Amino acid sequence: MRDAYYDQLRAIVDDVVALTAMVRRSLASATLALLDADRALAEQVIANDSRIDQLTNDIEDRAFLIMATQSPVAGDLRQLVATMRIIADLERMGDHSVHIAKVARMREPAIAVPLELQPTIRSMADVADAMIEAASHIVAERDVAAAPKLERKDDEMDKLHRKLFRTLLSDSWEFGVEAAIDMALLSRYYERIGDHAVSMARRMVFQVTGTRELV
Amino acid sequence: MRDAYYDQLRAIVDDVVALTAMVRRSLASATLALLDADRALAEQVIANDSRIDQLTNDIEDRAFLIMATQSPVAGDLRQLVATMRIIADLERMGDHSVHIAKVARMREPAIAVPLELQPTIRSMADVADAMIEAASHIVAERDVAAAPKLERKDDEMDKLHRKLFRTLLSDSWEFGVEAAIDMALLSRYYERIGDHAVSMARRMVFQVTGTRELV
């Protein structure tokens, strides 16, 4: 009985790791679709989001079932509750990847991102991915000491966001209103993915230390 | 003992109602600050958000404590888990109100919203508020039959969003890139608030019917 219980808990942890990998792949594909105007890849990101949603729901149902039937001790219960919040963050990151893929799809065969902004978008995607990786490391290893690294990445994201806005609002912006709106929204999607990574990590820091701030 | 238990459950429900009222006030004030370029009101929305966060954390801590110490039956447990997700949605709506207030603050003494778009923004704010109201009715009364009404409001929001974008992208748009970006982001904030209302209601529909779709 208890063995089955620990197996179920471990299976949930494994599936959160799998979900994180799916979300990172979705984000990487969305960015590639965006920068290469790759319609097929964009469609794939959009279609595959239902698998992220399914796994999220499946993990949630199992976590609930353990809570309802196995009387987990407070520590395990806290972990299950944290897991439910963490997978909600991952699911939302998947949604933002879909938003990115939809911008790619809407503009192809043109590339939605003007050449001069492509390095910034690429950097935002890299920072977002590094933030998801750092957050899932914190969650999987309960390594709250790694939180400052995540904060630094968050600052980097903020700088990229401001740099991109300076370009959009400069007098030399020559791509018109539509491209400016696309860029502002894209920047926001990457930023929100980073916010969700911070929120994931905060959950774990709270579970381990009882404080709701990262550092 | 059991009396105290039911008192605690009831207090959580009451506090979710109070939290919902705070979030609706915050959104209404943010919209007023935006359309009147009222800096003091914008500052108030931004400052008061910490009270929304505090109440969210407080409800969450108490819900966890009940789960950890009172062995709630499956129905109560499901309600507590749903509550944790619902208050997370409410807290995010509060964040979006802050984003709206920050646009107001950044542009005052000018009014951020061009005159011709003020009715659209006002309508988006009204629809967002109606969606929060409908969602909290569904949650408080477990009235899942009211879900189609919420879906209709969501369609209305979508129409307003598209109408606003048509204006931004028309040849007659004369307010430049910065205002267009402001409007696109504002539209997105109101839309996201509506999404969170739908997500709140879905939680309750799932709790009552076992299905994750609204209708």
Side-chain angles (χ1 to χ4, degrees):
Chain A
M1 178 69 181
R2 280 285 105 171
D3 271 2
Y5 169 74
Y6 287 116
D7 284 350
Q8 285 164 15
L9 282 184
R10 204 169 308 119
I12 285 180
V13 173
D14 289 347
D15 276 353
V16 173
V17 172
L19 182 64
T20 308
M22 281 168 78
V23 169
R24 289 178 68 188
R25 268 201 306 276
S26 178
L27 175 60
S29 298
T31 302
L32 213 58
L34 181 70
L35 295 175
D36 289 354
D38 184 334
R39 187 184 185 95
L41 193 56
E43 295 286 5
Q44 195 182 308
V45 170
I46 295 161
N48 281 350
D49 191 51
S50 64
R51 292 164 61 184
I52 291 176
D53 294 348
Q54 269 165 29
L55 184 54
T56 304
N57 292 342
D58 184 49
I59 295 171
E60 190 179 298
D61 290 347
R62 281 152 49 207
F64 182 79
L65 209 63
I66 295 177
M67 287 161 63
T69 61
Q70 311 259 14
S71 311
V73 296
D76 291 347
L77 183 62
R78 196 173 283 283
Q79 188 189 324
L80 289 167
V81 169
T83 298
M84 282 183 168
R85 294 291 296 270
I86 285 166
I87 61 177
D89 279 313
L90 286 166
E91 196 250 323
R92 289 275 158 86
M93 292 181 199
D95 291 345
H96 289 302
S97 301
V98 168
H99 295 143
I100 293 167
K102 282 185 174 170
V103 175
R105 185 175 67 176
M106 191 159 52
R107 300 300 169 220
E108 76 82 40
I111 297 178
V113 184
L115 196 62
E116 66 175 292
L117 279 179
Q118 290 182 12
T120 309
I121 291 288
R122 203 180 304 270
S123 298
M124 290 188 105
D126 288 345
V127 172
D129 185 65
M131 289 179 78
I132 307 176
E133 189 180 23
S136 34
H137 166 80
I138 291 169
V139 166
E141 309 295 329
R142 306 170 67 91
D143 180 8
V144 300
K149 191 188 156 196
L150 184 56
E151 285 283 351
R152 280 196 301 276
K153 286 281 165 196
D154 200 26
D155 293 343
E156 233 179 281
M157 182 67 91
D158 196 43
K159 274 187 197 125
L160 287 165
H161 180 74
R162 276 181 282 144
K163 183 180 163 193
L164 184 139
F165 265 69
R166 274 198 304 276
T167 307
L168 301 184
L169 299 176
S170 76
D171 291 337
S172 62
W173 179 256
E174 54 182 332
F175 305 99
V177 166
E178 184 170 83
I181 292 175
D182 279 353
M183 291 307 106
L185 290 175
L186 283 170
S187 174
R188 177 112 197 122
Y189 300 143
Y190 286 108
E191 221 193 350
R192 291 297 298 161
I193 290 172
D195 288 345
H196 282 291
V198 169
S199 157
M200 266 176 78
R202 282 214 177 108
R203 278 287 123 194
M204 185 47 64
V205 170
F206 178 55
Q207 191 186 319
V208 172
T209 68
T211 165
R212 283 194 162 85
E213 293 310 313
L214 269 192
V215 282
Chain B
M1 179 68 181
R2 281 283 104 173
D3 271 1
Y5 168 74
Y6 288 117
D7 286 349
Q8 287 163 14
L9 282 184
R10 204 170 308 118
I12 285 180
V13 172
D14 289 346
D15 276 353
V16 172
V17 172
L19 182 64
T20 308
M22 282 169 76
V23 168
R24 289 179 68 188
R25 268 201 307 277
S26 178
L27 175 59
S29 298
T31 303
L32 213 57
L34 180 70
L35 295 175
D36 290 353
D38 184 334
R39 188 186 183 94
L41 194 55
E43 295 286 7
Q44 196 182 309
V45 170
I46 295 160
N48 281 351
D49 190 53
S50 63
R51 293 164 60 184
I52 291 176
D53 294 348
Q54 269 165 28
L55 185 54
T56 305
N57 292 342
D58 185 49
I59 295 171
E60 190 179 296
D61 290 347
R62 281 151 49 208
F64 182 79
L65 208 63
I66 295 177
M67 287 161 65
T69 60
Q70 311 259 15
S71 311
V73 296
D76 291 346
L77 183 62
R78 197 173 283 283
Q79 189 189 323
L80 289 166
V81 169
T83 298
M84 284 184 168
R85 294 291 296 269
I86 284 166
I87 61 178
D89 279 313
L90 285 166
E91 196 251 322
R92 289 276 158 86
M93 292 182 199
D95 291 344
H96 288 302
S97 300
V98 167
H99 295 142
I100 293 167
K102 283 186 175 171
V103 175
R105 184 174 68 177
M106 191 159 50
R107 300 298 170 223
E108 77 82 39
I111 297 179
V113 184
L115 196 60
E116 65 175 293
L117 279 179
Q118 289 181 12
T120 310
I121 290 288
R122 203 180 303 270
S123 298
M124 290 187 106
D126 289 346
V127 172
D129 185 65
M131 288 179 79
I132 306 176
E133 190 181 22
S136 35
H137 166 81
I138 292 169
V139 167
E141 308 296 327
R142 306 171 66 91
D143 180 9
V144 299
K149 192 189 155 196
L150 184 56
E151 284 283 350
R152 279 196 302 277
K153 286 282 165 195
D154 200 27
D155 292 343
E156 236 179 278
M157 181 68 92
D158 196 43
K159 273 187 199 128
L160 287 164
H161 180 75
R162 275 181 282 144
K163 183 181 162 193
L164 184 139
F165 266 69
R166 276 197 304 276
T167 308
L168 301 184
L169 298 176
S170 75
D171 292 337
S172 62
W173 180 255
E174 54 182 333
F175 306 99
V177 166
E178 185 170 82
I181 292 175
D182 279 353
M183 292 306 107
L185 290 176
L186 283 169
S187 175
R188 176 114 196 120
Y189 299 143
Y190 286 108
E191 220 193 352
R192 291 298 297 160
I193 289 171
D195 288 347
H196 282 290
V198 170
S199 156
M200 267 176 77
R202 282 214 177 108
R203 277 289 122 193
M204 185 47 62
V205 171
F206 178 55
Q207 193 187 321
V208 172
T209 68
T211 165
R212 282 194 162 86
E213 293 307 314
L214 268 193
V215 283

